[in-house]
Amino acid sequence: MTRPLFCLAFGLSLLATSCRQQVDEAPAAADAAPEPEPATVAAVADEAIDARYRCDGGNRVDLVRDGHSARVSMSDGRVVNLGAITGSKPSTWSDVGLRFVVDGDYAALSQDDTGRTLRCERAGE
């Protein structure tokens, strides 16, 4: 009678080991899933652009929504929307440590935490 109990116990231990291996392998499969692509300008291509600025380093700023928002397309593929600071002189858009300023012929994109400033020029329509 001890032999059938031993066989049953051995079989259950094999089953438990098999289940544990499947559970341990599941996170590895989830880690292998590709990361989503960063937002691109193509996703918002149907939005009307009020003005476009090309900045040093391959960056671009589009003023949209009647100037209420500045969409920064960075050279690394990221896209950040900056909100207009109402009543600012010179005209300023800011958010997430980025600032875009336009004052007549002067336009610049700057990063608050590093103090780095990129010169921008209005692009032809």
Side-chain angles (χ1 to χ4, degrees):
M1 186 131 143
T2 58
R3 187 173 185 117
L5 287 176
F6 174 76
C7 290
L8 178 62
F10 181 74
L12 288 175
S13 101
L14 283 178
L15 180 62
T17 302
S18 174
C19 291
R20 187 172 44 247
Q21 285 176 346
Q22 288 176 352
V23 169
D24 291 343
E25 291 171 4
D31 291 341
E35 292 185 25
E37 292 294 320
T40 61
V41 177
V44 289
D46 59 341
E47 190 169 34
I49 297 171
D50 302 318
R52 174 168 285 159
Y53 293 84
R54 300 210 184 280
C55 304
D56 294 340
N59 300 286
R60 187 178 83 208
V61 179
D62 296 331
L63 298 182
V64 295
R65 299 184 193 115
D66 293 324
H68 289 102
S69 183
R71 183 175 55 231
V72 180
S73 301
M74 295 185 215
S75 59
D76 65 3
R78 292 178 295 158
V79 176
V80 178
N81 289 307
L82 309 178
I85 298 176
T86 306
S88 61
K89 297 292 180 196
S91 299
T92 304
W93 295 260
S94 183
D95 200 359
V96 296
L98 292 176
R99 181 178 309 267
F100 180 64
V101 176
V102 175
D103 188 11
D105 291 338
Y106 172 81
L109 178 64
S110 62
Q111 188 172 0
D112 294 340
D113 61 347
T114 64
R116 183 174 178 207
T117 299
L118 301 176
R119 182 183 54 85
C120 302
E121 293 181 355
R122 184 150 183 175
E125 302 301 316

